[in-house]
Amino acid sequence: MVASAVASPLCTWLVAAYISVSGEKTNHRPSSSPAMFSSSKRLSRSARRKLPAVTDCKNFSGGGGGLMSSLCGSSITNLMTSLEPCEEYYKSKPLSSSFSILGSENSFFIFGLKNSPPSSMNRTQKRIHRTAQTGKSKTMAIATQPSKEATTKKKPITKNRRVVVTGLGVVSPVGDVADVFYENLLEGISGISEIEAFNCDQFPTKIAGEIKSFSADGWVAPKLSKRADKFMLYLLTAGKKALEDGGVTKDVMKDLDVTKCGVIIGSALGGMKIFQDGIEALMVSYKKMNPFCVPFATTNMGSAILAMDLGWMGPNYSISTACATSNFCILNAANHITRGESDMMLCGGSDSAIIPIGLGGFVACNSLSQRNSDPKRASRPWDVSRDGFVMGEGAGVLLLEELEHAKARGAKIYAEFLGGSFTSDAYHMTESRPDGTGIALCIEKALTQSGVAREDVNYINAHATSTPSGDLHEYEAIMRSFGNNSELKINSTKSIIGHLLGAAGAVEAIATVKAIQTGWLHPNMNLENPDVGVDKNVLVGAKKEQWNIKVALSNSFGFGGHNSSIVFAPYKDQ
């Protein structure tokens, strides 16, 4: 596939090079390689391997079939590093500025000339015959002669492009406005309760961090609101709230370079309800299926529709790495900014899987808490009596912006994004490495990439889902990296709202940014008896704590061994 993709433009260039010189020397054949051009028969693969390397201009000035066959065949990838237009090519008489090759059963077009090669000719002879007719060619506006300048032009170097957070948008079980959301976290108001969306009698787990009341009015067009999956509605709403929170009004939008504004918002599971409905309809007939079933079920479509709605033409895609999805999206969005490819990015994650197939799937994995009699106390990271995580739903979107771009429009700056890292456990589908090596490596790489000293990190928003093994593995990895830091504080947002799957990282990043802004850390709920080896003094207690954050780190890990750590700090104008 690679050879094929490269061969087409290269062959076009070589044909042009050959004809531009052969216009004056039509019958010239280089004496240095007569075997290459003297035979009209197609060379065998073994013979083509023995052909001399094409390294100077004279190889392009004569003959036809044999050379073109050898260059456009299977060895093309080996030649790419040595083939480059030379001085003689640019000095030669140019061919027509554009050309086309079209074929049909009864006629043949080459460079705009209609010609019918004699049927008695073999393939190589026909190729030579066609190229000999180029003096009569007509211009076809399809491809242009390559520019010498394009072969030497280098990518501009970008330096000191700092990334800041200028907007926050959230849809969660404890609030749909960033300030309200974080205030409820500080007060320890739990968003976990009995599931009301469907009958859970057949399941051993009947609780979740379910959003009881949600409206997309004013954020999503009514027609789309009726058709789209909740994960998409959450995403679109949170994305637009992040813009509103960031002061990106209609007037500001008019002045933006939309080619440098992008959207990277992912989802772990995508439109599961749409897909489930499609399967049920298919049981009757495919004619009963929603025509939007496939596009509305895919994880990328939320980002795509948000970009369409805003008219943003910069980087636009989604990433799906299970529960690490949001962090992957946030770090990739920041990288587009630091590389100079974007000035502004909406990034984060969204998921809505509290439906029978979603609940049943995680029950089958034996991952969920069954503390149905006391939902608010079910999610209890690091507590000795934890029995699994609690599903949640929602979306979190951050507006990241290049610092000078943000300052130029007078944006409010919440915090600075310093960087992050990814690693893979390469160990198990649902369990992290028992020794925490993958997690520790991820944290170490995040610190290195961010240029942060480990002693400066004094707050971690942990992944800590409330699973028996996962919490300990992460805690041990954190202690391996920061064990000597007496100022370190750790909490888990999931103790209050449950695990929002692909949206978890973004919602927790918002909590981290709000902690930096407000100077308050939300409590660890239900931490009554820390597990063996867990130092309770390192963990935030049952009440909010005031804290002067120097550098904050937020972890997210996903099924499949996906590890991610991202780093924020208070913004300082240096």
Side-chain angles (χ1 to χ4, degrees):
M1 182 180 293
V2 174
S4 172
V6 175
S8 179
L10 179 60
C11 292
T12 298
W13 173 69
L14 289 174
V15 171
Y18 156 67
I19 294 173
S20 66
V21 177
S22 63
E24 297 179 6
K25 300 180 180 181
T26 307
N27 297 318
H28 173 72
R29 292 179 181 177
S31 58
S32 60
S33 55
M36 187 183 297
F37 302 100
S38 60
S39 175
S40 62
K41 296 182 179 180
R42 181 177 180 86
L43 296 177
S44 68
R45 180 177 298 177
S46 61
R48 289 201 302 273
R49 291 198 193 101
K50 299 178 182 178
L51 291 177
V54 183
T55 57
D56 56 3
C57 292
K58 62 185 178 182
N59 294 68
F60 300 110
S61 60
L67 174 64
M68 296 311 296
S69 296
S70 66
L71 291 181
C72 300
S74 61
S75 62
I76 190 71
T77 54
N78 297 327
L79 293 169
M80 284 306 296
T81 57
S82 62
L83 291 178
E84 185 173 340
C86 55
E87 293 297 329
E88 291 301 319
Y89 168 70
Y90 290 105
K91 292 178 182 177
S92 64
K93 182 180 178 181
L95 184 66
S96 169
S97 62
S98 55
F99 50 86
S100 172
I101 297 178
L102 301 173
S104 67
E105 183 178 352
N106 300 317
S107 64
F108 196 87
F109 288 84
I110 180 166
F111 307 131
L113 174 68
K114 184 175 181 179
N115 182 34
S116 299
S119 58
S120 60
M121 287 186 179
N122 63 30
R123 182 182 299 176
T124 305
Q125 289 173 328
K126 289 180 181 180
R127 189 180 296 117
I128 296 174
H129 175 80
R130 291 195 297 269
T131 57
Q133 302 295 324
T134 56
K136 305 175 184 179
S137 63
K138 298 179 182 179
T139 299
M140 301 288 285
I142 293 181
T144 59
Q145 183 176 343
S147 166
K148 181 178 180 181
E149 180 183 359
T151 66
T152 59
K153 188 175 181 181
K154 295 182 179 180
K155 180 181 178 180
I157 299 174
T158 57
K159 295 182 179 179
N160 301 322
R161 284 177 64 87
R162 296 167 64 186
V163 180
V164 292
V165 182
T166 56
L168 303 172
V170 65
V171 175
S172 81
V174 296
D176 295 344
V177 177
D179 289 343
V180 174
F181 159 75
Y182 197 64
E183 185 59 35
N184 286 335
L185 291 184
L186 292 178
E187 297 303 318
I189 298 175
S190 178
I192 299 172
S193 60
E194 293 183 2
I195 296 173
E196 298 178 0
F198 59 94
N199 190 320
C200 300
D201 288 347
Q202 62 175 312
F203 299 108
T205 293
K206 300 174 175 57
I207 58 175
E210 185 180 44
I211 296 175
K212 304 298 185 184
S213 177
F214 169 78
S215 174
D217 293 348
W219 303 104
V220 182
K223 185 177 291 187
L224 178 61
S225 185
K226 292 178 181 178
R227 292 174 171 172
D229 190 275
K230 276 187 178 181
F231 102 92
M232 191 180 293
L233 300 181
Y234 292 163
L235 182 157
L236 296 172
T237 301
K240 292 182 179 180
K241 285 185 175 182
L243 285 179
E244 182 185 63
D245 183 61
V248 183
T249 62
K250 290 183 179 179
D251 290 336
V252 172
M253 287 284 285
K254 293 177 182 177
D255 296 329
L256 295 178
D257 179 355
V258 295
T259 66
K260 302 195 75 175
C261 298
V263 184
I264 306 178
I265 305 175
S267 178
L269 298 173
M272 289 195 72
K273 181 63 165 62
I274 291 288
F275 199 74
Q276 178 179 281
D277 291 346
I279 292 174
E280 292 176 354
L282 184 61
M283 298 297 288
V284 179
S285 169
Y286 75 90
K287 296 180 180 180
K288 299 292 184 181
M289 292 182 68
N290 180 349
F292 298 98
C293 175
V294 170
F296 280 1
T298 55
T299 59
N300 74 298
M301 199 54 64
S303 273
I305 289 180
L306 182 55
M308 294 175 201
D309 204 352
L310 300 176
W312 284 13
M313 300 173 67
N316 178 257
Y317 54 92
S318 70
I319 298 172
S320 184
T321 49
C323 305
T325 290
S326 288
N327 278 11
F328 275 69
C329 292
I330 292 168
L331 182 51
N332 275 275
N335 287 340
H336 283 296
I337 295 175
T338 57
R339 290 197 299 260
E341 298 163 356
S342 301
D343 292 328
M344 185 180 285
M345 296 290 298
L346 286 169
C347 53
S350 179
D351 258 318
S352 178
I354 304 177
I355 58 176
I357 193 172
L359 182 65
F362 282 111
V363 165
C365 285
N366 197 30
S367 300
L368 300 182
S369 170
Q370 297 181 19
R371 196 184 291 264
N372 300 313
S373 60
D374 196 357
K376 297 184 186 303
R377 299 180 63 199
S379 185
R380 42 200 315 112
W382 301 295
D383 191 81
V384 70
S385 63
R386 64 191 183 280
D387 67 333
F389 74 82
V390 178
M391 285 181 68
E393 62 179 345
V397 177
L398 289 78
L399 177 62
L400 299 186
E401 198 165 351
E402 194 275 324
L403 175 59
E404 297 305 320
H405 188 275
K407 290 166 69 175
R409 68 178 188 87
K412 171 181 61 179
I413 297 176
Y414 282 104
E416 182 169 2
F417 181 83
L418 300 182
S421 179
F422 315 129
T423 62
S424 171
D425 271 353
Y427 172 73
H428 190 272
M429 284 194 297
T430 61
E431 294 287 336
S432 58
R433 282 185 176 272
D435 59 3
T437 301
I439 296 172
L441 177 62
C442 187
I443 293 172
E444 295 297 324
K445 289 179 66 176
L447 296 179
T448 300
Q449 195 274 340
S450 304
V452 172
R454 68 183 69 253
E455 57 268 19
D456 289 336
V457 177
N458 64 343
Y459 169 56
I460 296 177
N461 189 300
H463 180 63
T465 62
S466 192
T467 56
S469 61
D471 290 9
L472 285 182
H473 295 166
E474 180 184 14
Y475 177 82
E476 290 164 359
I478 290 173
M479 289 300 102
R480 187 185 309 178
S481 298
F482 303 101
N484 296 325
N485 189 343
S486 60
E487 296 183 357
L488 185 65
K489 284 292 181 181
I490 308 172
N491 63 7
S492 170
T493 304
K494 295 180 181 70
S495 67
I496 303 174
I497 61 175
H499 190 351
L500 274 57
L501 307 179
V507 172
E508 290 157 17
I510 291 172
T512 302
V513 169
K514 292 296 290 182
I516 291 172
Q517 181 203 18
T518 63
W520 287 92
L521 306 180
H522 71 70
N524 279 309
M525 300 302 296
N526 309 315
L527 182 58
E528 298 166 354
N529 298 299
D531 205 342
V532 178
V534 175
D535 183 359
K536 191 172 183 178
N537 294 323
V538 178
L539 306 179
V540 180
K543 299 291 183 181
K544 64 182 180 181
E545 295 185 22
Q546 196 165 12
W547 205 247
N548 180 26
I549 298 175
K550 297 177 184 177
V551 177
L553 183 139
S554 181
N555 287 333
S556 281
F557 315 124
F559 280 3
H562 304 289
N563 303 316
S564 61
S565 298
I566 54 178
V567 183
F568 298 90
Y571 164 67
K572 296 178 181 178
D573 192 3
Q574 300 174 357

mmCIF file of all heavy atoms in Angstrom, residues 381-383 475 479 488-491 524 526-543 545:
data_model
loop_
_atom_site.group_PDB
_atom_site.id
_atom_site.type_symbol
_atom_site.label_atom_id
_atom_site.label_comp_id
_atom_site.label_asym_id
_atom_site.label_seq_id
_atom_site.Cartn_x
_atom_site.Cartn_y
_atom_site.Cartn_z
ATOM 1 N N PRO A 381 -12.933 4.862 47.599
ATOM 2 C CA PRO A 381 -11.535 4.588 47.259
ATOM 3 C C PRO A 381 -10.643 4.447 48.494
ATOM 4 O O PRO A 381 -10.787 5.193 49.465
ATOM 5 C CB PRO A 381 -11.141 5.820 46.434
ATOM 6 C CG PRO A 381 -12.431 6.293 45.835
ATOM 7 C CD PRO A 381 -13.452 6.046 46.899
ATOM 8 N N TRP A 382 -9.755 3.485 48.438
ATOM 9 C CA TRP A 382 -8.746 3.169 49.457
ATOM 10 C C TRP A 382 -9.315 2.624 50.771
ATOM 11 O O TRP A 382 -8.573 2.221 51.645
ATOM 12 C CB TRP A 382 -7.862 4.393 49.788
ATOM 13 C CG TRP A 382 -7.131 4.921 48.593
ATOM 14 C CD1 TRP A 382 -6.166 4.287 47.876
ATOM 15 C CD2 TRP A 382 -7.316 6.207 47.987
ATOM 16 N NE1 TRP A 382 -5.724 5.101 46.855
ATOM 17 C CE2 TRP A 382 -6.414 6.285 46.904
ATOM 18 C CE3 TRP A 382 -8.140 7.302 48.259
ATOM 19 C CZ2 TRP A 382 -6.318 7.404 46.091
ATOM 20 C CZ3 TRP A 382 -8.046 8.416 47.461
ATOM 21 C CH2 TRP A 382 -7.147 8.456 46.374
ATOM 22 N N ASP A 383 -10.632 2.591 50.896
ATOM 23 C CA ASP A 383 -11.209 2.051 52.136
ATOM 24 C C ASP A 383 -11.154 0.524 52.085
ATOM 25 O O ASP A 383 -11.349 -0.095 51.030
ATOM 26 C CB ASP A 383 -12.655 2.507 52.301
ATOM 27 C CG ASP A 383 -13.203 2.194 53.681
ATOM 28 O OD1 ASP A 383 -12.928 2.971 54.617
ATOM 29 O OD2 ASP A 383 -13.870 1.146 53.820
ATOM 30 N N TYR A 475 -1.765 3.785 44.371
ATOM 31 C CA TYR A 475 -1.203 4.395 45.569
ATOM 32 C C TYR A 475 0.282 4.047 45.713
ATOM 33 O O TYR A 475 1.120 4.908 46.005
ATOM 34 C CB TYR A 475 -1.979 3.933 46.806
ATOM 35 C CG TYR A 475 -1.417 4.466 48.101
ATOM 36 C CD1 TYR A 475 -1.736 5.743 48.554
ATOM 37 C CD2 TYR A 475 -0.543 3.688 48.870
ATOM 38 C CE1 TYR A 475 -1.202 6.242 49.740
ATOM 39 C CE2 TYR A 475 -0.008 4.166 50.049
ATOM 40 C CZ TYR A 475 -0.342 5.447 50.484
ATOM 41 O OH TYR A 475 0.198 5.926 51.653
ATOM 42 N N MET A 479 3.469 6.604 45.702
ATOM 43 C CA MET A 479 4.435 6.660 46.790
ATOM 44 C C MET A 479 5.859 6.404 46.288
ATOM 45 O O MET A 479 6.822 6.963 46.805
ATOM 46 C CB MET A 479 4.072 5.635 47.863
ATOM 47 C CG MET A 479 2.828 5.983 48.670
ATOM 48 S SD MET A 479 2.985 7.564 49.561
ATOM 49 C CE MET A 479 2.022 8.656 48.504
ATOM 50 N N LEU A 488 2.498 16.379 50.169
ATOM 51 C CA LEU A 488 1.599 15.818 49.163
ATOM 52 C C LEU A 488 0.209 15.530 49.722
ATOM 53 O O LEU A 488 0.059 14.998 50.818
ATOM 54 C CB LEU A 488 2.188 14.532 48.606
ATOM 55 C CG LEU A 488 1.427 13.864 47.454
ATOM 56 C CD1 LEU A 488 1.446 14.746 46.220
ATOM 57 C CD2 LEU A 488 2.027 12.502 47.145
ATOM 58 N N LYS A 489 -0.826 15.871 48.921
ATOM 59 C CA LYS A 489 -2.211 15.542 49.256
ATOM 60 C C LYS A 489 -2.872 14.871 48.060
ATOM 61 O O LYS A 489 -2.655 15.271 46.910
ATOM 62 C CB LYS A 489 -3.004 16.795 49.643
ATOM 63 C CG LYS A 489 -2.703 17.312 51.039
ATOM 64 C CD LYS A 489 -3.207 16.340 52.106
ATOM 65 C CE LYS A 489 -2.952 16.839 53.509
ATOM 66 N NZ LYS A 489 -3.431 15.882 54.538
ATOM 67 N N ILE A 490 -3.686 13.857 48.352
ATOM 68 C CA ILE A 490 -4.335 13.071 47.298
ATOM 69 C C ILE A 490 -5.828 12.954 47.583
ATOM 70 O O ILE A 490 -6.227 12.731 48.729
ATOM 71 C CB ILE A 490 -3.731 11.648 47.222
ATOM 72 C CG1 ILE A 490 -2.202 11.699 47.102
ATOM 73 C CG2 ILE A 490 -4.327 10.874 46.057
ATOM 74 C CD1 ILE A 490 -1.553 10.329 47.228
ATOM 75 N N ASN A 491 -6.643 13.087 46.546
ATOM 76 C CA ASN A 491 -8.071 12.781 46.696
ATOM 77 C C ASN A 491 -8.599 12.111 45.438
ATOM 78 O O ASN A 491 -7.907 12.033 44.409
ATOM 79 C CB ASN A 491 -8.892 14.028 47.054
ATOM 80 C CG ASN A 491 -8.877 15.101 45.981
ATOM 81 O OD1 ASN A 491 -8.372 14.917 44.876
ATOM 82 N ND2 ASN A 491 -9.424 16.270 46.305
ATOM 83 N N ASN A 524 -12.254 13.238 50.458
ATOM 84 C CA ASN A 524 -12.393 11.836 50.060
ATOM 85 C C ASN A 524 -13.572 11.289 50.849
ATOM 86 O O ASN A 524 -13.485 11.115 52.066
ATOM 87 C CB ASN A 524 -11.128 11.040 50.408
ATOM 88 C CG ASN A 524 -10.034 11.222 49.385
ATOM 89 O OD1 ASN A 524 -10.238 11.062 48.189
ATOM 90 N ND2 ASN A 524 -8.852 11.587 49.855
ATOM 91 N N ASN A 526 -16.271 8.624 52.309
ATOM 92 C CA ASN A 526 -16.392 7.217 52.715
ATOM 93 C C ASN A 526 -15.057 6.550 53.041
ATOM 94 O O ASN A 526 -14.974 5.320 53.065
ATOM 95 C CB ASN A 526 -17.115 6.407 51.621
ATOM 96 C CG ASN A 526 -18.421 7.055 51.188
ATOM 97 O OD1 ASN A 526 -19.213 7.498 52.027
ATOM 98 N ND2 ASN A 526 -18.643 7.139 49.887
ATOM 99 N N LEU A 527 -14.035 7.314 53.301
ATOM 100 C CA LEU A 527 -12.739 6.748 53.688
ATOM 101 C C LEU A 527 -12.710 6.599 55.208
ATOM 102 O O LEU A 527 -12.213 7.453 55.934
ATOM 103 C CB LEU A 527 -11.599 7.644 53.215
ATOM 104 C CG LEU A 527 -10.176 7.154 53.505
ATOM 105 C CD1 LEU A 527 -9.930 5.788 52.878
ATOM 106 C CD2 LEU A 527 -9.152 8.165 52.998
ATOM 107 N N GLU A 528 -13.259 5.501 55.670
ATOM 108 C CA GLU A 528 -13.393 5.277 57.109
ATOM 109 C C GLU A 528 -12.242 4.458 57.685
ATOM 110 O O GLU A 528 -11.712 4.770 58.756
ATOM 111 C CB GLU A 528 -14.735 4.586 57.377
ATOM 112 C CG GLU A 528 -15.930 5.455 56.958
ATOM 113 C CD GLU A 528 -17.236 4.673 56.908
ATOM 114 O OE1 GLU A 528 -17.191 3.427 57.084
ATOM 115 O OE2 GLU A 528 -18.286 5.281 56.657
ATOM 116 N N ASN A 529 -11.847 3.406 56.957
ATOM 117 C CA ASN A 529 -10.745 2.543 57.393
ATOM 118 C C ASN A 529 -9.814 2.296 56.215
ATOM 119 O O ASN A 529 -10.052 1.394 55.400
ATOM 120 C CB ASN A 529 -11.277 1.202 57.917
ATOM 121 C CG ASN A 529 -12.169 1.362 59.134
ATOM 122 O OD1 ASN A 529 -11.732 1.863 60.162
ATOM 123 N ND2 ASN A 529 -13.427 0.945 59.000
ATOM 124 N N PRO A 530 -8.740 3.116 56.116
ATOM 125 C CA PRO A 530 -7.810 2.950 54.988
ATOM 126 C C PRO A 530 -7.233 1.537 54.938
ATOM 127 O O PRO A 530 -7.003 0.905 55.967
ATOM 128 C CB PRO A 530 -6.714 3.973 55.287
ATOM 129 C CG PRO A 530 -7.374 4.988 56.161
ATOM 130 C CD PRO A 530 -8.360 4.230 56.993
ATOM 131 N N ASP A 531 -7.038 1.045 53.744
ATOM 132 C CA ASP A 531 -6.491 -0.298 53.542
ATOM 133 C C ASP A 531 -5.072 -0.375 54.109
ATOM 134 O O ASP A 531 -4.405 0.636 54.343
ATOM 135 C CB ASP A 531 -6.479 -0.629 52.050
ATOM 136 C CG ASP A 531 -6.521 -2.121 51.788
ATOM 137 O OD1 ASP A 531 -6.210 -2.895 52.718
ATOM 138 O OD2 ASP A 531 -6.856 -2.515 50.658
ATOM 139 N N VAL A 532 -4.620 -1.592 54.295
ATOM 140 C CA VAL A 532 -3.279 -1.832 54.845
ATOM 141 C C VAL A 532 -2.226 -1.189 53.953
ATOM 142 O O VAL A 532 -2.240 -1.350 52.728
ATOM 143 C CB VAL A 532 -3.005 -3.346 54.970
ATOM 144 C CG1 VAL A 532 -1.591 -3.584 55.489
ATOM 145 C CG2 VAL A 532 -4.033 -3.992 55.884
ATOM 146 N N GLY A 533 -1.329 -0.426 54.536
ATOM 147 C CA GLY A 533 -0.261 0.212 53.790
ATOM 148 C C GLY A 533 -0.585 1.598 53.285
ATOM 149 O O GLY A 533 0.277 2.282 52.733
ATOM 150 N N VAL A 534 -1.840 2.030 53.436
ATOM 151 C CA VAL A 534 -2.248 3.354 52.974
ATOM 152 C C VAL A 534 -2.112 4.351 54.123
ATOM 153 O O VAL A 534 -2.718 4.173 55.189
ATOM 154 C CB VAL A 534 -3.701 3.338 52.449
ATOM 155 C CG1 VAL A 534 -4.148 4.751 52.078
ATOM 156 C CG2 VAL A 534 -3.827 2.399 51.251
ATOM 157 N N ASP A 535 -1.353 5.406 53.915
ATOM 158 C CA ASP A 535 -1.146 6.441 54.919
ATOM 159 C C ASP A 535 -2.288 7.446 54.852
ATOM 160 O O ASP A 535 -2.387 8.221 53.889
ATOM 161 C CB ASP A 535 0.194 7.129 54.683
ATOM 162 C CG ASP A 535 0.512 8.180 55.746
ATOM 163 O OD1 ASP A 535 -0.320 8.388 56.654
ATOM 164 O OD2 ASP A 535 1.595 8.790 55.657
ATOM 165 N N LYS A 536 -3.121 7.464 55.853
ATOM 166 C CA LYS A 536 -4.285 8.338 55.866
ATOM 167 C C LYS A 536 -3.881 9.806 55.852
ATOM 168 O O LYS A 536 -4.641 10.663 55.378
ATOM 169 C CB LYS A 536 -5.147 8.033 57.100
ATOM 170 C CG LYS A 536 -6.522 8.697 57.064
ATOM 171 C CD LYS A 536 -7.382 8.204 58.210
ATOM 172 C CE LYS A 536 -8.793 8.806 58.130
ATOM 173 N NZ LYS A 536 -9.673 8.293 59.209
ATOM 174 N N ASN A 537 -2.709 10.130 56.331
ATOM 175 C CA ASN A 537 -2.269 11.523 56.387
ATOM 176 C C ASN A 537 -1.986 12.104 55.009
ATOM 177 O O ASN A 537 -2.018 13.321 54.831
ATOM 178 C CB ASN A 537 -1.007 11.633 57.250
ATOM 179 C CG ASN A 537 -1.278 11.300 58.700
ATOM 180 O OD1 ASN A 537 -2.334 11.638 59.243
ATOM 181 N ND2 ASN A 537 -0.340 10.612 59.343
ATOM 182 N N VAL A 538 -1.715 11.242 54.048
ATOM 183 C CA VAL A 538 -1.465 11.711 52.685
ATOM 184 C C VAL A 538 -2.778 12.000 51.967
ATOM 185 O O VAL A 538 -2.826 12.828 51.054
ATOM 186 C CB VAL A 538 -0.660 10.650 51.894
ATOM 187 C CG1 VAL A 538 -0.434 11.084 50.450
ATOM 188 C CG2 VAL A 538 0.668 10.394 52.578
ATOM 189 N N LEU A 539 -3.842 11.347 52.392
ATOM 190 C CA LEU A 539 -5.144 11.503 51.748
ATOM 191 C C LEU A 539 -5.943 12.623 52.392
ATOM 192 O O LEU A 539 -5.910 12.809 53.612
ATOM 193 C CB LEU A 539 -5.924 10.196 51.836
ATOM 194 C CG LEU A 539 -5.212 8.949 51.296
ATOM 195 C CD1 LEU A 539 -6.095 7.725 51.482
ATOM 196 C CD2 LEU A 539 -4.850 9.123 49.832
ATOM 197 N N VAL A 540 -6.667 13.362 51.536
ATOM 198 C CA VAL A 540 -7.578 14.391 52.059
ATOM 199 C C VAL A 540 -8.637 13.692 52.904
ATOM 200 O O VAL A 540 -9.095 12.590 52.569
ATOM 201 C CB VAL A 540 -8.230 15.178 50.907
ATOM 202 C CG1 VAL A 540 -9.177 16.254 51.453
ATOM 203 C CG2 VAL A 540 -7.162 15.807 50.020
ATOM 204 N N GLY A 541 -9.059 14.319 53.998
ATOM 205 C CA GLY A 541 -10.012 13.703 54.914
ATOM 206 C C GLY A 541 -11.454 13.813 54.464
ATOM 207 O O GLY A 541 -11.746 14.041 53.276
ATOM 208 N N ALA A 542 -12.354 13.686 55.408
ATOM 209 C CA ALA A 542 -13.790 13.686 55.110
ATOM 210 C C ALA A 542 -14.343 15.093 54.913
ATOM 211 O O ALA A 542 -15.516 15.253 54.572
ATOM 212 C CB ALA A 542 -14.546 12.987 56.239
ATOM 213 N N LYS A 543 -13.522 16.103 55.131
ATOM 214 C CA LYS A 543 -13.929 17.495 54.928
ATOM 215 C C LYS A 543 -12.956 18.170 53.963
ATOM 216 O O LYS A 543 -11.801 17.769 53.835
ATOM 217 C CB LYS A 543 -13.920 18.257 56.256
ATOM 218 C CG LYS A 543 -14.889 17.703 57.306
ATOM 219 C CD LYS A 543 -16.335 17.944 56.912
ATOM 220 C CE LYS A 543 -17.295 17.454 58.012
ATOM 221 N NZ LYS A 543 -18.716 17.656 57.642
ATOM 222 N N GLU A 545 -10.286 20.702 52.410
ATOM 223 C CA GLU A 545 -9.069 21.240 53.006
ATOM 224 C C GLU A 545 -8.508 22.374 52.148
ATOM 225 O O GLU A 545 -8.453 22.256 50.923
ATOM 226 C CB GLU A 545 -8.009 20.141 53.155
ATOM 227 C CG GLU A 545 -8.399 19.031 54.118
ATOM 228 C CD GLU A 545 -7.283 18.025 54.321
ATOM 229 O OE1 GLU A 545 -6.104 18.383 54.067
ATOM 230 O OE2 GLU A 545 -7.586 16.887 54.735
#
